[in-house]
Amino acid sequence: MPAKPEEVLKNLKAGKYAPVYFLQGEEPYFIDQIVNFIEKNAIPEHEKGFNQVMMYGKDASMSTVITNAKRFPMMAERQLVIVKEAQTISDLGKEAGDSLLLSYLQNPLPSTILVFSHKYKTLDGRKPLAKELDKKAILVKSDKVPEYKLAPWVNDYFKTKGFTIDVKAAQILAESIGNNLEVLTNEVDKMLINFSEPVEINSQHIQQFIGINKEYNNFELTKALSYRDVIKANKIISYFAQNTKNNPLIPIIALLYLHFTRILLVHGNKDKPDSALASMLKVNPYFVKEYTLAAKNYALGKVIDNMAYLKEADLRSKGVDSAGLDDAQILKELVFKLTH
């Protein structure tokens, strides 16, 4: 079974290195974390000139990679070979290239740390190479953080920095930036530079340092829709319309679809206690009352109609039967249909 990125990082920080790492998956953030740590810490700085090899997949064949991996370190304990953009190695996934790596895995050089950074793709798990990597190397599968887990992930990230963040502010960040972790962490890191000591981050801080308006954001839009507050919802989408680049339509539609899916679940589980609903909806218990109120504000039939309106808007956002409407107009029409 592939190792979890956090487990690999924990072992690396404890000084435990393996001969071969194959880092793959849709989420580049965790892959970069591991590669950057190994690059910075695996060998001393003064040894890197002779004992660190940086390669790029598009410029290398598997034969070149393995030849470098089999080289002995020069006057040092070990050498480091990193293959970035490994998904572009020309013969990876082909019989000749895979055979070379399979052969190396049977007897890897103990003095070499060989790292493959294979982003945005995964190897075919049914093929021998993937199975052998799982047995003989550190194979990592870096998955995207699901939307429903993003706010807790944000909370944990702040803890690693020595800060805390309140529930609402974490949700605002998650819903406004989304699960591009590189963008999300960059924004957070830039914000935290402004504090000389740890504090609890709130929505005011988010607005001041990141620029996400504490009143006009995705979190407040879903809340306005839950309360069926038409005036507030229209103010928010008018604000979005002024800057569609920072408020793209497709992620908003996806968020609203998830929101009404949760309201639909509440309708089917009204007899469940709040704790069970929180688990089912995959939200912080803090937000359960909002969803139970939303279920009262939207009858079951209306929720089902709204799901259809959201699918229609999604198609329009992709140019299907858009009737010449731009993104701002599609969103305005959608919110009208959702609330009336």
Side-chain angles (χ1 to χ4, degrees), residues 225 228 253 256-257 259-261 263 294 297-313 334-340:
L225 290 173
R228 214 157 180 172
I253 293 173
L256 296 182
Y257 191 85
H259 188 67
F260 278 95
T261 299
I263 297 171
N297 287 333
Y298 295 88
L300 178 59
K302 176 59 179 170
V303 176
I304 293 171
D305 287 344
N306 282 354
M307 304 294 277
Y309 295 143
L310 286 158
K311 288 183 179 180
E312 176 189 55
L334 171 62
V335 169
F336 178 85
K337 288 180 176 180
L338 293 175
T339 53
H340 288 80

Side-chain angles (χ1 to χ4, degrees), residues 257-313:
Y257 191 85
L258 174 62
H259 188 67
F260 278 95
T261 299
R262 286 170 171 163
I263 297 171
L264 191 62
L265 282 170
V266 173
H267 271 289
N269 297 276
K270 290 181 178 179
D271 57 331
K272 297 278 176 49
D274 285 0
S275 57
L277 279 176
S279 177
M280 185 178 301
L281 301 178
K282 297 176 180 177
V283 299
N284 188 299
Y286 175 87
F287 296 109
V288 169
K289 288 184 179 178
E290 178 188 325
Y291 283 102
T292 54
L293 176 64
K296 294 176 182 177
N297 287 333
Y298 295 88
L300 178 59
K302 176 59 179 170
V303 176
I304 293 171
D305 287 344
N306 282 354
M307 304 294 277
Y309 295 143
L310 286 158
K311 288 183 179 180
E312 176 189 55

